[in-house]
């Protein structure tokens, strides 16, 4: 099949990177309140008219896939399973040609109920966020008593073949940092692939501090000896954000996404679309490019693709968390689409 001609093709920035991996936020709402993400009372949610409709989401995803060379789509949020049309959106996305890889990042609540339909819609994989397997710590971190639902969601994902099932975990000092080994053992026992994500300054409450975050080095020190961790050849990493380590000679692995202490911005191939139709070239970007207005004004695909390409040219070489001048973006992680 020939790709429609575009000039220049793809989402290139001024530093030689080309974005092919699109993260699409389907909602900014959530049914958990993870302390590293949002405050107890939640946030001021986007109003319905601001949100892209299901048709609008699919239209923009289709522009990305058929005009801009995007070959991977990940639906996220907020909590993407709260989006009523999610199965239809996934189904229409997997029917695009060239067929993109389609995955979902979710907190797992409601996955037990929806896993089968999502699989039938063509979903390839899921990442489920789980920071602890202890009910009391789960409630402390998410402010909700929903551990059982998450565990049921993980099991359902495995059962219907949304594999490899990946688990994302954030460690917080004095909260769950003593449970890293327990969580890894749980994932090994169940055949889930665990990845620790360094806590980033993206919480709505601005509570992040470099001095208290748990670093990749600390995680390796905690787990290295007990689990016989050995780095997987860096050459196989490509643009993947996780550094991988085999557990006791393999084949099981554990990943560490060290966005703060070992940034991988030079290899970044990501671009993001918010639930209200704004392109963000980086999680930490302080500017966005509006596609929704042009879309609603009836712009043809070629114009939307041009706007999207232009939006990428301003992508900065790095997130600059280490710079004294670093400023957290106005949108928190839950509204960007993590
Ligand atoms: N609600 C879904 C979930 O939790 O998987 C999807 C959205 S959530 C924003 C995506 C991922 O971002 C989750 O794995 C979550 O743990 C992670 N996350 C949220 N806030 C973070 C922070 N401040 N630092 C690092 N990771 C964070
Ligand atoms: Fe919700 Fe995900 Fe944020 Fe937790 S990390 S509050 S599950 S959006």
């Amino acid at each position: 099949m020939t790709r429609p001609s575009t000039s220049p093709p793809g989402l290139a920035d001024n530093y030689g990177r080309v974005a092919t991996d699109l993260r699409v936020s389907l909602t900014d709402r959530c049914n958990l309140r993870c302390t590293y993400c949002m405050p107890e009372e939640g946030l001021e949610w986007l109003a319905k008219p601001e949100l892209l409709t299901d048709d609008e989401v699919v239209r923009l995803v289709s522009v990305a896939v058929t005009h801009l060379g995007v070959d991977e789509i990940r639906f996220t949020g907020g909590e993407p399973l709260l989006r009523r049309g999610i199965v239809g959106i996934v189904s229409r996305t997997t029917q695009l040609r060239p067929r993109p890889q389609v995955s979902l990042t979710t907190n797992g609540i409601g996955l037990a109920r929806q896993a089968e339909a999502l699989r039938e819609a063509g979903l390839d994989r899921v990442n489920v966020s789980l920071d602890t397997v202890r009910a009391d710590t789960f409630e402390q971190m998410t402010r909700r008593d929903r551990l059982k639902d998450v565990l049921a969601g993980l099991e359902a994902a495995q059962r219907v073949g949304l594999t490899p099932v990946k688990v994302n975990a954030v460690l917080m000092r004095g909260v769950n940092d003593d449970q890293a080994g327990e969580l890894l053992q749980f994932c090994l026992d169940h055949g889930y692939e665990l990845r620790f994500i360094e806590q980033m300054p993206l919480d709505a409450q601005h509570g992040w501090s470099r001095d208290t975050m748990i670093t990749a080095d600390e995680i390796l020190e905690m787990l290295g000896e007990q689990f016989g961790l050995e780095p997987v050849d860096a050459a196989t990493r490509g643009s993947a954000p996780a550094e991988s380590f085999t557990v006791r000679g393999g084949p099981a692995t554990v990943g560490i996404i060290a966005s703060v202490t070992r940034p991988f911005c030079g290899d970044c191939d990501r671009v993001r679309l918010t639930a209200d139709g704004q392109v963000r070239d980086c999680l930490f970007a302080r500017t966005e490019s509006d596609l929704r207005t042009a879309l609603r004004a009836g712009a043809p695909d070629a114009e939307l693709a041009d706007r999207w390409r232009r939006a990428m040219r301003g992508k900065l070489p790095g997130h600059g968390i280490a710079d004294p001048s670093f400023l957290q973006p106005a949108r928190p992680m839950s509204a960007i689409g993590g």
Side-chain angles (χ1 to χ4, degrees):
M1 176 173 168
T2 45
R3 194 183 282 279
S5 71
T6 52
S7 149
L11 293 172
D13 66 31
N14 286 335
Y15 296 90
R17 298 165 298 188
V18 180
T20 53
D21 178 343
L22 172 63
R23 313 266 146 150
V24 181
S25 173
L26 293 180
T27 175
D28 58 334
R29 291 171 190 253
C30 193
N31 40 16
L32 295 183
R33 294 285 183 273
C34 303
T35 54
Y36 50 74
C37 185
M38 60 169 88
E40 169 122 53
E41 64 278 14
L43 297 165
E44 204 173 303
W45 312 121
L46 290 167
K48 183 115 195 264
E50 293 179 60
L51 288 179
L52 297 180
T53 63
D54 292 2
D55 285 348
E56 288 172 337
V57 170
V58 174
R59 170 89 190 284
L60 289 180
V61 168
S62 141
V63 167
V65 170
T66 60
H67 292 258
L68 295 167
V70 164
D71 57 14
E72 251 188 281
I73 308 285
R74 174 172 294 276
F75 292 109
T76 178
E79 177 42 50
L81 292 179
L82 292 179
R83 175 96 185 205
R84 280 171 65 185
I86 188 170
V87 173
I89 292 173
V90 167
S91 164
R92 291 164 71 188
T93 301
T94 59
Q95 284 165 40
L96 295 171
R97 294 294 175 270
R99 159 66 153 99
Q101 283 291 301
V102 184
S103 55
L104 181 70
T105 298
T106 169
N107 63 27
I109 295 174
L111 188 56
R113 198 166 31 83
Q114 302 210 67
E116 189 129 23
L118 286 164
R119 182 66 180 149
E120 275 166 19
L123 187 71
D124 295 301
R125 280 182 311 279
V126 285
N127 284 19
V128 177
S129 302
L130 177 69
D131 307 317
T132 171
V133 285
R134 295 189 203 169
D136 54 346
T137 311
F138 185 92
E139 190 165 350
Q140 185 187 359
M141 290 187 79
T142 67
R143 304 184 178 106
R144 298 287 186 272
D145 177 16
R146 304 297 297 269
L147 175 64
K148 279 194 188 134
D149 302 84
V150 179
L151 298 181
L154 276 165
E155 277 170 32
Q158 181 91 295
R159 190 173 58 245
V160 305
L162 292 169
T163 49
V165 174
K166 294 190 181 173
V167 170
N168 290 351
V170 176
L171 293 178
M172 294 184 79
R173 199 175 298 285
V175 181
N176 66 336
D177 56 330
D178 58 336
Q179 299 172 33
E182 183 179 314
L183 187 59
L184 176 52
Q185 193 56 55
F186 167 85
C187 289
L188 294 171
D189 293 345
H190 290 79
Y192 309 143
E193 225 176 281
L194 177 63
R195 296 121 43 91
F196 291 100
I197 308 177
E198 279 183 346
Q199 191 187 351
M200 295 180 276
L202 286 170
D203 57 315
Q205 323 80 281
H206 292 222
W208 179 87
S209 142
R210 178 179 270 281
D211 301 332
T212 56
M213 63 164 283
I214 304 280
T215 64
D217 283 349
E218 283 178 87
I219 299 171
L220 281 175
E221 205 176 301
M222 285 186 241
L223 301 177
E225 209 168 303
Q226 186 188 348
F227 289 91
L229 300 189
E230 293 290 341
V232 172
D233 184 5
T236 59
R237 179 176 174 191
S239 56
E243 287 173 63
S244 261
F245 299 84
T246 53
V247 176
R248 295 185 198 101
T253 57
V254 57
I256 302 184
I257 303 180
S259 321
V260 177
T261 62
R262 302 178 196 171
F264 35 85
C265 304
D267 291 320
C268 180
D269 64 354
R270 303 232 169 127
V271 55
R272 293 181 152 82
L273 181 67
T274 63
D276 55 347
Q278 310 298 305
V279 169
R280 294 183 61 93
D281 58 28
C282 171
L283 263 180
F284 296 92
R286 298 191 50 76
T287 56
E288 307 181 330
S289 304
D290 179 23
L291 287 186
R292 187 186 62 192
T293 304
L295 174 71
R296 291 188 176 168
D301 281 9
E303 182 189 331
L304 294 170
D306 267 344
R307 283 176 182 271
W308 205 325
R309 272 190 216 101
R310 280 202 297 277
M312 291 307 287
R313 298 211 189 107
K315 179 160 168 147
L316 296 174
H319 57 44
I321 295 177
D323 297 349
S325 60
F326 173 78
L327 284 174
Q328 211 175 306
R331 275 195 206 244
M333 178 80 130
S334 56
I336 296 171

